[in-house]
Structure formats: structure tokens, C-alpha cells
Amino acid sequence: MNRPLATAFATGLAIPLVAAMAALPRHGSPDQPIHTHVAAQYHAWPHELGNLVTAVLLDYRGMDTFGEVVVIFAALMVVLVLRHKEEPLPSPDPSPIVAFIVRLVTPFIALFGFHVILVGHVAPGGGLQGAAILGGLVLLNGVVFGPDHVRSLHPGRALPWLQGAGPLAFLAAGVVGAVTTGFALGYPTHLPLLQEAMVVGIELGIGIGGALIFSRIYLAMEGA
Amino acid sequence: MSLVFDLVLLVLLVCTALAVARTRNLAGAAILFSAYSLILCVLWLHRGAPDVALTEAAVGAGVTTVLFLVVIARTSP
Amino acid sequence: MTTLAGNLDYVATMLLFVIGVWTLVSDPNLIKKVMGLNIMETAVFAFIVTSGALEPPSPIPHALVLTGIVVAVSTTAVALALLLRVHREFGTLDLDELRDLW
């Protein structure tokens, strides 16, 4: 679309949107539409987890998080269908400063990523955050040292089902919840140890599965 | 005081988004997009959202920018 | 006008959204279109989190935005994989040239 028509369209879209912002309640007032429907109920229900965000993601809206994990797995499937073998780009020659720093901080970033996954139910963190950190770490090493260097980090032929660890963890938790409480993803409040084990198990599944999915997408795009 | 910080962050955000839209050089636009994601991460921290800030920093600077740079390296002559 | 000046945070997120739409529509390079899509998505996340800014910040919009960020990354990954195949088949990523080559 040519430039003047696009600018006219953007301006015509901006005017009703910005005018609608004047009709919303004031910034910071509690009668905004996001606080009046379901959020009051979520605040009123008692929850045993320390982090309300994790409680909403895994307990009150557990099915939505299951759907999101299936979405990212489906994205991996599409990228794997679309890939093709490519001749590798000339391997990068990193300067010694960059190579030294990346080699130095990689173990600390990996430790921090696992810590973020495991404390997700009491402190800010969780499975998605840890998956993004670990996946970003593999991508950082791939950019600096070349994709052949990081291909061994990915269990390609030995454990390919680990990439689906997110949906599998949700299915396992659903079965355990159905056996103990009668609902599909119900957390048994009469067995607090089992409830915490289910939450940590789901977080680990999302974390490891998500990190493997991100690194596999990167390897597929590099043509490895 | 926090109102001034808020205003400065929002102005920086809009200016960086305009810069991403107007740059012709693709690698420059990818690096500017990484800077946009970093300013957005600081805005999340200012709004009191540590989970979202952690995810946005790792995803914006780690995964999305690297994927853009891989595609730009493969498709530029 | 007074309520517009009081809601400047929302106005900024809508400006970001319109900048994303403009990039998506007007730039002929396909990679810039994907960047415009990402700017649109992050503008919507900014709107959702900003509307949850009470005096103790309400953590429920954060859960919506977390799911949204992961879906945005998945969409970007699929779009970039499609772009790689388009470049392999046609040799160019410019929409004006693609329109003649198809």
C-alpha cells in the first residue's frame, strides 16, 4: 500500500482509539473494567501458593495455560515442517573478550534459570520465565560460537519426547488431580505435599519443555 | 517524581517505536527493536510487575532479537 | 480534555498500537511487517498491565500478559520460518517484487 494511503489509514485509526481512551476511568481508580468482573473473586478466594500470578496461571486458569503450552508446541511443529537443510554460514570468529565473557557467565545464567523455575510458586518467577532464560542462554551461545557448538545441548535423537514436556506434565497433573479430587486439574487441598509436588512438577515441565522448544526453533532456522 | 519518570519512559518508548518503523537498514531495526524491548521491561518494573519484566527481558532481548538477526543474516545478499 | 490528560498512559499505548499498524501496512519489506506485528502486540500488553495499576498493583493482568507474551513469540517464530521459505523459493523479501514474481 502506498505511503499517503497508509498514513491516512493510520490517522483514521488513531482518532477513535485515542478518543476512546478519554472515556475510560482515571488511571489508578478501582472501577476500571479489568477489576470489576472476575478479579475480585480471585482476590477473595484463599490460595496456598505465595505468588498470586502463579495461582491464577496454574490453578484458577489452568486450562488456559495448558492451551498456551500446546500453542508453543504447535509452533515448534510448524517450524520443523518448514525447515530445510542449508549450508552453514561461515562460522563466526568471536573476539577473545566476547568468548571469555560468554563462557564465564553461562553457568551462572543456567543456575539462575533453574532457580527461577523452581521458586515460581512463592516468588516472582515460574516455568515460562525460566524457559525464556534457558532458551535465551542457548541462543546466546549459538550466536557467539555457531550452531554446531550448541547442537549437542539438545537431546535430538535420544529424548525427543522431552520437547513435549509441557503438555505431558499438564496431562500427568490432570490425571493425578482427577484421581484424588474428581476434577480434571483439581489440586488436592487435603494433601498439601502432593499439591506442592504437582505445582513444581508442572513448572519443571513447562520450563524444560519450553527451553528445548526455543533452542530447537533456533537450530531449525539455522538449517542445522 | 515517579510521574516524571513515567512520562519519560513513555516518550522514549514512542520514539523508539517510531525509529524502528522508519529505519531502512534491517540489522539496525533489529537492534532498535531490542532496545524497545528493554525500555518496555523497565516500564513493567515501574508498574510493579516483576514476572512480566523477567519474561519480557528474556524473550525480547534473548529469543525474538536473535531470531530476527538469524533471518536477516540468511536473507541479505 | 481533562480526562485525556489524566489518562496519558493509555494514550501512549494506543499511539504505539497505531505505529505498529502503520509499519505493518506501509513498509514493503516482510521483516519490517513482522516487527510491526510485534509492536502491536506489545502495545496491547502495555495497555493491559497499565490498567491494572492500583495502589498495591493487582497481579491478575500480569497472568494474562504472560500467556500473551508466549503466544507472541510463537507467532513471530512461525512467521520468520515462513519468511525463510519465501526467500528460498522466490529469492526476494520485498512485497513489490513478490507481487510481480508470483
Side-chain angles (χ1 to χ4, degrees), chain A residues 102 104-114 133-134 136-137 140:
Chain A
V102 168
L104 181 65
V105 301
T106 294
F108 296 106
I109 296 179
L111 189 64
F112 181 64
F114 276 112
I133 291 176
L134 291 176
L137 176 66
L140 170 71

Side-chain angles (χ1 to χ4, degrees), chain A residues 3-32:
Chain A
R3 279 293 179 102
L5 189 58
T7 314
F9 170 66
T11 318
L13 186 64
I15 294 177
L17 279 178
V18 171
M21 292 301 118
L24 279 178
R26 242 191 108 82
H27 177 71
S29 78
D31 56 340
Q32 284 168 352

Side-chain angles (χ1 to χ4, degrees), chain C residues 13-25:
Chain C
T13 57
M14 283 304 124
L15 280 180
L16 283 176
F17 186 78
V18 169
I19 290 174
V21 170
W22 186 72
T23 310
L24 181 69
V25 160

Side-chain angles (χ1 to χ4, degrees), chain A residues 173-217:
Chain A
V175 167
V176 171
V179 162
T180 54
T181 58
F183 296 108
L185 203 57
Y187 293 97
T189 49
H190 52 276
L191 300 166
L193 205 58
L194 184 62
Q195 177 183 13
E196 190 151 344
M198 277 170 66
V199 170
V200 174
I202 293 182
E203 299 270 15
L204 265 178
I206 298 177
I208 294 182
L212 286 179
I213 287 177
F214 284 141
S215 54
R216 189 72 177 108
I217 288 179

Side-chain angles (χ1 to χ4, degrees), chain B residues 12-56:
Chain B
L12 269 180
L13 209 58
V14 173
C15 290
T16 316
L18 266 176
V20 168
R22 301 270 310 197
T23 310
R24 293 273 169 207
N25 186 9
L26 285 177
I31 300 297
L32 274 173
F33 187 75
S34 172
Y36 168 80
S37 183
L38 189 62
I39 298 175
L40 199 57
C41 170
V42 175
L43 184 67
W44 295 148
L45 279 175
H46 182 70
R47 298 261 183 245
D51 300 56
V52 187
L54 201 49
T55 312
E56 175 73 40

Side-chain angles (χ1 to χ4, degrees), chain A residues 21 27 32 52 68 82 84, chain C residues 7 10 51 59 70 85 88:
Chain A
M21 292 301 118
H27 177 71
Q32 284 168 352
L52 186 57
E68 169 232 321
L82 287 173
H84 49 274
Chain C
N7 286 342
Y10 298 129
S51 74
V70 173
R85 285 307 291 256
R88 188 174 169 90

